[in-house]
Short mmCIF file of all heavy atoms in Angstrom, two decimals:
data_model
loop_
_atom_site.label_atom_id
_atom_site.label_comp_id
_atom_site.label_asym_id
_atom_site.label_seq_id
_atom_site.Cartn_x
_atom_site.Cartn_y
_atom_site.Cartn_z
N PRO A 226 200.21 46.33 -193.73
CA PRO A 226 201.34 46.79 -194.56
C PRO A 226 202.59 45.94 -194.34
O PRO A 226 202.82 45.46 -193.21
CB PRO A 226 201.59 48.23 -194.10
CG PRO A 226 200.78 48.42 -192.87
CD PRO A 226 199.75 47.34 -192.78
N VAL A 227 203.40 45.77 -195.37
CA VAL A 227 204.62 44.96 -195.22
C VAL A 227 205.55 45.56 -194.18
O VAL A 227 206.38 44.85 -193.60
CB VAL A 227 205.40 44.77 -196.55
CG1 VAL A 227 204.70 43.81 -197.46
CG2 VAL A 227 205.67 46.09 -197.23
N GLU A 228 205.40 46.85 -193.89
CA GLU A 228 206.22 47.49 -192.83
C GLU A 228 205.94 46.87 -191.47
O GLU A 228 206.65 47.13 -190.51
CB GLU A 228 205.94 49.00 -192.73
CG GLU A 228 206.42 49.83 -193.90
CD GLU A 228 205.44 49.77 -195.06
OE1 GLU A 228 204.22 49.69 -194.82
OE2 GLU A 228 205.91 49.78 -196.22
N ASN A 229 204.88 46.05 -191.37
CA ASN A 229 204.55 45.42 -190.09
C ASN A 229 205.07 43.98 -189.99
O ASN A 229 204.77 43.28 -189.04
CB ASN A 229 203.04 45.43 -189.85
CG ASN A 229 202.56 46.78 -189.35
OD1 ASN A 229 203.20 47.79 -189.62
ND2 ASN A 229 201.47 46.80 -188.61
N LEU A 230 205.86 43.57 -190.99
CA LEU A 230 206.49 42.24 -190.90
C LEU A 230 207.64 42.33 -189.90
O LEU A 230 208.45 43.27 -189.95
CB LEU A 230 207.02 41.84 -192.28
CG LEU A 230 207.78 40.52 -192.35
CD1 LEU A 230 206.81 39.34 -192.16
CD2 LEU A 230 208.49 40.39 -193.71
N LEU A 231 207.70 41.37 -189.00
CA LEU A 231 208.76 41.37 -187.98
C LEU A 231 209.85 40.41 -188.46
O LEU A 231 209.61 39.20 -188.58
CB LEU A 231 208.15 40.90 -186.66
CG LEU A 231 208.79 41.37 -185.35
CD1 LEU A 231 208.93 42.88 -185.30
CD2 LEU A 231 207.95 40.89 -184.17
N GLY A 232 211.02 40.95 -188.75
CA GLY A 232 212.10 40.10 -189.25
C GLY A 232 211.84 39.69 -190.69
O GLY A 232 211.07 40.33 -191.40
N GLU A 233 212.44 38.58 -191.09
CA GLU A 233 212.33 38.16 -192.49
C GLU A 233 211.16 37.22 -192.72
O GLU A 233 210.86 36.38 -191.87
CB GLU A 233 213.61 37.42 -192.90
CG GLU A 233 214.74 38.36 -193.23
CD GLU A 233 215.94 37.60 -193.73
OE1 GLU A 233 215.76 36.61 -194.49
OE2 GLU A 233 217.04 37.98 -193.33
N GLU A 234 210.54 37.39 -193.89
CA GLU A 234 209.44 36.50 -194.24
C GLU A 234 209.92 35.04 -194.24
O GLU A 234 211.03 34.75 -194.70
CB GLU A 234 208.89 36.87 -195.63
CG GLU A 234 207.64 36.10 -195.99
CD GLU A 234 207.08 36.46 -197.36
OE1 GLU A 234 206.68 37.62 -197.55
OE2 GLU A 234 207.04 35.55 -198.22
N GLY A 235 209.10 34.17 -193.69
CA GLY A 235 209.40 32.73 -193.72
C GLY A 235 210.24 32.23 -192.56
O GLY A 235 210.48 31.03 -192.44
N THR A 236 210.66 33.17 -191.67
CA THR A 236 211.53 32.74 -190.56
C THR A 236 210.77 32.66 -189.22
O THR A 236 211.39 32.56 -188.16
CB THR A 236 212.73 33.69 -190.38
OG1 THR A 236 212.23 35.01 -190.07
CG2 THR A 236 213.60 33.76 -191.63
N GLY A 237 209.45 32.73 -189.28
CA GLY A 237 208.65 32.84 -188.05
C GLY A 237 208.88 31.72 -187.05
O GLY A 237 208.99 31.97 -185.84
#
Side-chain angles (χ1 to χ4, degrees):
V227 287
E228 291 81 35
N229 280 26
L230 177 70
L231 208 52
E233 280 185 39
E234 187 180 297
T236 61

